[in-house]
Amino acid sequence: MTIPNKKAQGTFAEKVGDYCVKDISLAKEGRLLIDWAESRMPVLMGLREKYSKTKPFAGYKIAGCLHVTKETAVLIETLAEAGAEVYWSGCNPLSTNDAVAAALAEKGIHIFAWYANHEDFYWCIERTIDAKPHLTLDDGCDLIDTVHEKYKELANNHIIGGSEETTTGVHRLRARAAAGQLFYPVYAVNDAETKWDFDNVYGTGQSTLDGIIRATSVLLAGKNFVTAGHGHCGSGVAKRAKAMGSNTIITEISAVAALKGWLEGHEVMTMDEAAKVGDIFCTATGVKDIIVKRHFESMKDGAIVCNTGHYDSEINIDDLKSISKSNRTIRPNCEEYVLADGRRIYLLAEGRLINLAAAEGHPSEVMDMSFANQFMAHLSLIERYKSGENIPIEVMEIPPSQDENVASTKLEMMNLKIDALTEEQIRYINDYNAGT
Ligand code: ADE
């Protein structure tokens, strides 16, 4: 295998064939982080306990391309304990926790990931494909895309199925399916209710503010906080910013989403208007060029700009560079750009996911549900395959029964009880004659 020259980026482990991480000596620190996450992920740990006995994935290889965090480590080790041989890469250059990656490598996971891996990002993905995986697990569709474009034989004749974690990835996946270019079935895990109604809203809301605070340490109260996009993720960010005392402004392209935001108490305006008054800007749209040159040109001195969408295309950084006379890193993940007239604009985390680049991503408690869904999606793929089913090649929804299962287990683990309908109530809601 050709190994790129990593000397400039840090020390790499000697066993590059099995893994490639920044510093294997960080394994002890990473293990503590994983232990902490495990203690907050009871649904996934319950699945681990159950399936480590039956090992449904024995004999099968899973390649994953998803942020290497302490929560992802709990998913990876659960898949491994359920019998899978696991190969993994990060899905964003700035989201790998190097200590977690080291702990996984030490445990025998074939992991190819390190923080600030811009240059060899796809090299890492391809090392996981070298293993000829039977299942793929994506966040953003880069693994699926690489397999489909460069390893067609594997995609067509070897891979059983896959899953996709995020909204942007599901959009990409549906576009591929619509173009007749999807070669194996993929579960849209993002679209499970117990994923996107929780992870996208409460996870993104909290972790995005966490990232902004860690990168800047600014006071949020009293600031004009502009969120671009009021979907699940954007609404979570705006909700939390409001709770911290910010004057919240949202920008939207959907009239329905804008109206919902207005009734939540946020101001609604275009980005052209918001650019003039905002103190902090956060993009959460999944669309490119949300903040461009004319917006930077009208911003106030000291404006802070960041993104929490999957890709780094929402803020046009080339535009910012083109109108800046100088720039410097003023704090980790905080770059100061000085415009010709002396105004300063602060770009966080190179316009990449602020919550993972500058903080630790979503809290374990929400990732518990997202990753329980991931595990169950893969379990379903392998069980359907083993039963001889010819799984249709399409983007598949998570069945409502799985959502119900994840939600009720989560409630049970928190010792929360809910009511049940009586026989009489069931009769009532099913009776078309029951009226005034
Ligand atoms: N995406 C957002 N937060 C995450 C986390 N903590 N782990 C993995 N993926 C994430």
Side-chain angles (χ1 to χ4, degrees), residues 170-182 393-395:
V170 170
H171 287 161
R172 227 175 143 186
L173 200 56
R174 290 198 197 286
R176 177 173 280 288
Q181 293 299 311
L182 183 66
I393 299 177
E394 58 188 19
V395 179

Side-chain angles (χ1 to χ4, degrees), residues 66-67 69 71-72 139 165 199 207 355-356 360-363 367 371:
L66 194 149
H67 309 293
T69 64
E71 292 76 23
T72 304
D139 184 336
E165 169 79 5
D199 167 321
S207 62
N355 60 340
L356 282 139
E360 293 174 65
H362 304 349
M367 295 315 294
F371 287 165

Side-chain angles (χ1 to χ4, degrees), residues 167-194:
T167 316
T168 309
V170 170
H171 287 161
R172 227 175 143 186
L173 200 56
R174 290 198 197 286
R176 177 173 280 288
Q181 293 299 311
L182 183 66
F183 302 147
Y184 57 82
V186 184
Y187 272 115
V189 169
N190 176 70
D191 298 354
E193 255 189 284
T194 46

Side-chain angles (χ1 to χ4, degrees), residues 420-431:
L421 289 172
T422 62
E423 289 298 319
E424 178 61 24
Q425 286 171 319
I426 293 172
R427 260 196 304 279
Y428 174 78
I429 57 173
N430 289 314
D431 180 359

Side-chain angles (χ1 to χ4, degrees), residues 43-58 62 66 72 74-84 86 88 135 137 162-163 165 187 189 367-383 398 402 406:
V43 182
L44 190 55
M45 291 303 283
L47 290 168
R48 181 184 295 187
E49 194 185 340
K50 180 168 177 192
Y51 292 103
S52 60
K53 297 188 180 99
T54 53
K55 305 221 180 289
F57 295 107
I62 301 182
L66 194 149
T72 304
V74 181
L75 171 62
I76 292 174
E77 293 186 348
T78 302
L79 291 165
E81 291 212 20
V86 187
W88 213 267
L135 296 160
L137 194 158
S163 66
E165 169 79 5
Y187 272 115
V189 169
M367 295 315 294
D368 188 23
M369 292 195 283
S370 307
F371 287 165
N373 275 302
Q374 283 288 5
F375 184 92
M376 288 162 87
H378 281 263
L379 189 63
S380 159
L381 283 167
I382 211 69
E383 283 176 345
I398 296 296
Q402 179 173 314
V406 170

Side-chain angles (χ1 to χ4, degrees), residues 199-216 220 225-227 232-238 240-241 244 280-284 304-309 348 352-363:
D199 167 321
N200 299 24
V201 182
Y202 306 102
T204 308
Q206 179 167 323
S207 62
T208 299
L209 293 203
D210 187 9
I212 293 171
I213 292 168
R214 290 196 207 193
T216 64
L220 295 178
F225 192 112
V226 181
T227 311
H232 278 70
C233 294
S235 69
V237 174
R240 291 299 179 249
M244 292 291 282
I280 302 172
F281 295 82
C282 181
T283 54
I304 293 167
V305 181
C306 69
N307 164 56
T308 199
L348 309 187
R352 296 189 186 273
L353 286 157
I354 182 67
N355 60 340
L356 282 139
E360 293 174 65
H362 304 349

